Amino acid sequence: MLTVVDHPLIKTKLSIMRDETTKAKEFRESLDEIASLMTFEVFKDVQVYDSTDTIKTPTGIILPKKKLANKIIIAPILRAGLGMVDGVRKMIPTARIGHIGMYRNEETLEPVEYYFKLPVVDNPLVLICDPMLATGGSAVAAITAVKKRGYKNIRLMCLVGVKEGIEAVEKAHPDVDIYIAAVDEKLNEVGYILPGLGDAGDRIFGTK
Ligand code: PRP
Ligand code: URA
């Protein structure tokens, strides 16, 4: 299932990110804020249960402490996905963090996995994060890598994508829900999203 998280606050912050004059600091801050805003939509159907822990309200009432039924794992695709981690974690401070090292070969656009580490927990829900969904190769490979380690409950959160990338993920992994802030027009001849926002990793980390 594809959900386009279409919200005025996300639209205005994304417009800041698309601006080529936006500096790394504001770019990172906008991505962080959008990730927080998207978290509301991504987890809105997660079950909550009454745990055996209790809380006491200032009015003297004892209540069971509410907890998420799933242990949340935030799994950024390195590098650019790292820019979304803190935004999600602000909303879910108990979330564990994994890392998926993946880059796409600049000539073939094929993804190359170079690192993988996810926490092992009971009843995990893995949220794979990557701002850019271009050909979809990196996201498809990342999901395959996560499934290979036995995880089943997986969601994908991206900022900007194109139809081609979305369809690639839907075809390879129809069980994975995709959340995205904007679906752009097309890819250019070197696999960049148009209008897009340029190279997300370089803009986050100032590597160009
Ligand atoms: C970018 C981006 C995605 C990938 C998307 O990463 O962050 O992971 O490209 O492209 P795709 O959908 O065609 O696979 P990149 O390979 O540039 O690595 P980086 O984040 O380390 O710069
Ligand atoms: N990766 C990026 O960082 N930007 C794009 O437009 C496509 C892939």
Side-chain angles (χ1 to χ4, degrees):
M1 189 195 65
L2 171 72
T3 304
V4 180
V5 188
D6 186 22
H7 189 284
L9 297 181
I10 293 178
K11 279 202 175 91
T12 52
K13 289 177 198 300
L14 180 54
S15 164
I16 292 170
M17 296 181 70
R18 290 188 191 277
D19 184 345
E20 67 170 3
T21 69
T22 298
K23 302 267 188 311
K25 180 174 182 286
E26 197 180 4
F27 188 90
R28 282 195 302 271
E29 286 167 356
S30 301
L31 179 59
D32 178 77
E33 289 163 1
I34 293 174
S36 291
L37 292 167
M38 289 184 76
T39 304
F40 274 79
E41 185 65 31
V42 173
F43 292 104
K44 78 173 182 199
D45 61 340
V46 170
Q47 299 293 310
V48 171
Y49 70 96
D50 290 340
S51 72
T52 50
D53 295 346
T54 54
I55 56 162
K56 187 175 174 198
T57 71
T59 49
I61 312 289
I62 308 286
L63 294 173
K65 192 167 184 179
K66 304 261 184 211
K67 292 192 179 172
L68 295 180
N70 296 99
K71 296 266 187 298
I72 309 299
I73 297 174
I74 310 167
I77 301 178
L78 308 182
R79 297 173 296 163
L82 287 171
M84 301 176 95
V85 172
D86 286 348
V88 179
R89 193 154 51 165
K90 265 178 232 161
M91 299 298 119
I92 313 174
T94 54
R96 309 275 199 99
I97 317 292
H99 294 92
I100 304 169
M102 191 83 67
Y103 71 88
R104 55 176 200 171
N105 178 302
E106 284 182 7
E107 264 117 53
T108 64
L109 300 183
E110 288 300 315
V112 181
E113 184 183 324
Y114 60 89
Y115 185 79
F116 189 96
K117 188 131 192 134
L118 286 198
V120 177
V121 293
D122 290 335
N123 202 11
L125 192 171
V126 180
L127 179 65
I128 298 176
C129 303
D130 192 329
M132 310 310 282
L133 185 61
T135 64
S138 304
V140 167
I143 297 166
T144 302
V146 170
K147 285 185 176 172
K148 202 166 92 188
R149 273 79 174 190
Y151 298 87
K152 292 188 174 66
N153 192 354
I154 303 165
R155 296 179 185 194
L156 174 68
M157 179 166 93
C158 301
L159 187 64
V160 182
V162 288
K163 202 162 162 260
E164 180 180 334
I166 292 165
E167 286 175 356
V169 175
E170 287 176 335
K171 185 158 178 259
H173 300 291
D175 55 314
V176 172
D177 290 334
I178 306 168
Y179 298 83
I180 200 157
V183 181
D184 277 11
E185 214 179 305
K186 59 178 180 185
L187 295 180
N188 69 9
E189 61 291 350
V190 287
Y192 273 79
I193 296 172
L194 298 180
L197 44 77
D199 188 306
D202 284 342
R203 296 196 66 189
I204 292 167
F205 297 108
T207 36
K208 254 190 195 142

